[in-house]
Every structure is written in structure tokens, then in C-alpha cells.
């Protein structure tokens, strides 16, 4: 994709771990903050990691190709290490049973709201950020299981498999979202293995996910261990939620979307730096236009992609 009318990239600083006190959580909440070294009123992107096979990328140390790009283009990116991160799996306080705790669908979303509750603590801990955040301009992004987390914060409902409660974890402070290779609908679309290990996926309901979001999918992302519905399953948050939504379908992309989870990651089955650059540019443009009404970055990006002789994908909107 050709360079679009985005601001020139600025140098980025990244600090981790910043520790936010978290009473009642198994361990305090550790986050990485990446931001441009200059600029004020920085819009915020909360970035939720997936689960993945790597030992370290499912944490505040993942997703550098996106976090660095977004920060270089004017966003403050905040990445928590969720309790289901492999980096915590050896910690008996977090993982007493040794296996995956399916209740972390909830603690993941709560992590993000907790960060927004403590932006002042974050600014105090990172002097380079003091007075530079725009708490009224917040977006959430997530890849894979992180996309599920992001969708909950944007309005997706589910039934708690433990007690049958209909859960609403929507955070109205979050104004827009990016769902990257996110999970889709529940019911008979979910495989028996996924229903057993991730029972919360079986009751996903996107019908109340009203916040604006860009859903990014790969047309070769089968995720056969999670769904019987094929690559289209990942587009459910677009098709089954009310507008305004946009859907970016990337040709040839698999679950790693070209390598968004980290630089040169072994489990990226479709490594493609150009694809990652396309995602970084389009997501940045989308959030600029969502968080700064009147900003034409998104329309400019759409026009640029449409004009390409061999575009990397296509975009639908509603």
C-alpha cells in the first residue's frame, strides 16, 4: 500500500512494566506504554494481546509492529499483560490449577477498564506522559482472543458459563474499536473442543455491539480448532453487530494477519511485511477519523486502496 496522508512518523518511547495497583486481582496489572516523544492530547489505544503459542508475545511485550506504528503516528498505546498470558502461567497465584482458566474472558475486559480508571496513576508513573493524554479519545484494539476482549468492551454480550448471568462489560469511555482476527458467533459455529475449553465463546451475541469498529479478517484464516464456519466466522462482529462498522478483508491472510503479533514470529503462517504495513496504516487512519471527527484520513486511505491495481484486500462498510 502506498504512503497515505498520515502525519510523518515521530520517534517513540516505550516504557514497561508500569505497575498499576489492582486490589482483588491475582497480581498487580503490568502495562507497557508506547507514545510519541512529542505532541499533546494524545488519543489512547488499549491493545489486548491474543493467546498464541509464543511464551512472551501474549503479554505487554507483543504486537510491536502495530504498537510502534500507532505510537509513531500520534497515539498513546497501552498494553496490559492479561492474567491468561503465558508469562504468568508459572505463577501459582495466577494459575493454581496449571491449565487455562476459562474465566479470564472477564478479567481481560476488566483489565482495560481498570487502566482507564487509573490514567492519572499511569501519568504519574511515566513523567514523559504527564498531561499529554486525551482521556475522552479512547479506542480498544485486540487480536484473536484480544479481539473477543475488545468486542466485550464495545458492547458484545455473553452468558457467564459459571452462573448463567447475562454479562455486559461495555465501557462507554471507549469510543471505537479494532477487531483483528477476532472470534465470531457462538452456538453451532463453535467446535466441540472450543466449547469445552472456552465455554464463554458459545453464547457470544454481537447484536448490542453498537460502538464504531473496524473488523480485520484474513480470507484464509480457517481457525479450525475454534470454528466450523471457516474464515467467515471472523467477520461475524461486522455482519452481526449494528453499524457503524467497517470490514477489511485481506487476501491470502491467515490468523497472524501477516505478522501483527511481533517481528519475525515463528508461528506467523503467512508472514508478509506489506500486509502488516497495510493493517497498521488503515487501522491508524480509521481511528484518526473516529476519534477526531472531520479528519479525512480514513476516506483518503479507502480511496488509495481502491485505486491500487492489485489491492491487498477490500473494505465493506455499513
Amino acid at each position: 500500500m502506498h504512503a497515505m496522508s498520515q502525519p510523518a512518523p515521530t520517534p517513540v518511547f516505550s516504557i514497561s512494566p508500569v505497575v498499576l495497583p489492582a486490589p482483588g486481582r491475582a497480581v498487580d496489572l503490568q502495562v507497557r506504554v508506547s507514545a510519541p516523544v512529542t505532541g499533546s492530547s494524545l488519543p489512547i489505544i488499549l491493545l489486548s494481546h491474543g493467546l498464541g503459542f509464543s511464551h512472551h508475545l501474549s503479554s505487554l511485550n507483543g504486537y510491536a509492529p502495530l504498537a510502534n506504528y500507532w505510537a509513531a503516528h500520534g497515539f498513546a498505546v497501552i498494553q496490559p499483560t492479561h492474567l491468561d498470558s503465558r508469562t504468568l502461567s508459572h505463577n501459582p497465584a495466577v494459575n493454581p490449577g496449571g491449565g487455562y482458566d476459562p474465566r479470564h474472558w472477564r478479567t481481560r475486559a476488566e483489565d482495560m477498564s481498570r487502566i482507564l480508571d487509573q490514567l492519572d496513576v499511569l501519568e504519574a508513573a511515566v513523567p514523559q506522559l504527564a498531561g499529554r493524554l486525551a482521556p475522552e479519545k479512547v479506542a480498544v484494539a485486540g487480536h484473536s482472543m484480544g479481539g473477543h476482549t475488545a468486542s466485550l468492551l464495545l458492547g458484545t454480550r455473553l452468558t457467564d458459563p459459571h452462573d448463567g448471568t447475562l454479562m455486559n462489560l461495555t465501557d462507554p469511555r471507549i469510543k471505537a474499536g479494532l477487531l483483528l482476527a477476532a472470534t465470531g458467533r457462538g452456538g453451532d459455529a463453535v467446535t466441540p473442543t472450543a466449547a469445552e475449553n472456552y465455554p464463554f465463546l458459545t453464547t457470544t451475541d454481537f447484536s448490542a455491539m453498537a460502538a464504531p469498529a473496524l473488523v480485520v479478517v484474513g480470507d484464509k484464516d480457517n481457525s479450525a480448532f475454534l470454528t466450523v464456519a471457516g474464515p467467515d466466522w471472523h467477520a461475524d462482529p461486522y455482519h452481526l453487530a449494528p453499524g457503524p462498522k467497517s470490514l477489511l478483508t485481506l487476501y491470502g491472510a491467515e490468523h497472524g494477519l501477516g505478522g501483527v503479533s511481533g517481528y519475525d514470529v515463528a508461528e506467523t503462517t503467512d508472514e508478509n511485511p506489506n500486509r502488516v504495513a497495510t493493517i497498521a496504516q488503515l487501522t491508524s487512519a480509521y481511528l484518526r477519523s473516529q476519534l477526531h471527527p472531520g479528519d479525512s484520513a480514513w476516506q483518503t486511505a479507502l480511496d488509495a486502496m481502491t485505486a491500487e491495481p492489485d489491492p491487498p484486500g477490500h473494505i465493506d462498510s455499513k
Side-chain angles (χ1 to χ4, degrees), residues 62-198:
Y63 297 89
L66 295 181
N68 289 344
Y69 184 95
W70 291 336
H73 289 84
F75 295 90
V77 184
I78 306 174
Q79 300 173 254
T81 294
H82 295 304
L83 289 173
D84 56 10
S85 168
R86 285 200 176 204
T87 62
L88 296 175
S89 60
H90 62 280
N91 185 324
V94 176
N95 193 18
Y100 181 77
D101 184 339
R103 286 170 293 197
H104 286 319
W105 61 267
R106 180 170 184 164
T107 63
R108 286 170 142 268
E110 289 168 348
D111 286 346
M112 299 312 216
S113 293
R114 198 185 291 264
I115 291 168
L116 294 180
D117 292 342
Q118 299 194 56
L119 288 178
D120 55 336
V121 177
L122 195 70
E123 286 196 33
V126 183
Q128 299 92 326
L129 267 187
R132 298 179 58 210
L133 297 179
E136 75 285 359
K137 292 177 178 158
V138 179
V140 65
H143 173 246
S144 192
M145 193 62 79
H148 181 268
T149 302
S151 76
L152 290 175
L153 291 157
L154 296 168
T156 293
R157 308 285 200 266
L158 59 74
T159 302
D160 186 333
H162 285 275
D163 61 13
T165 313
L166 182 65
M167 297 301 297
N168 175 6
L169 295 172
T170 312
D171 194 316
R173 295 171 292 188
I174 296 172
K175 303 297 190 255
L178 304 171
L179 306 182
L180 310 175
T183 54
R185 68 185 183 277
D188 58 6
V190 177
T191 64
T193 304
E196 181 181 347
N197 293 303
Y198 310 107

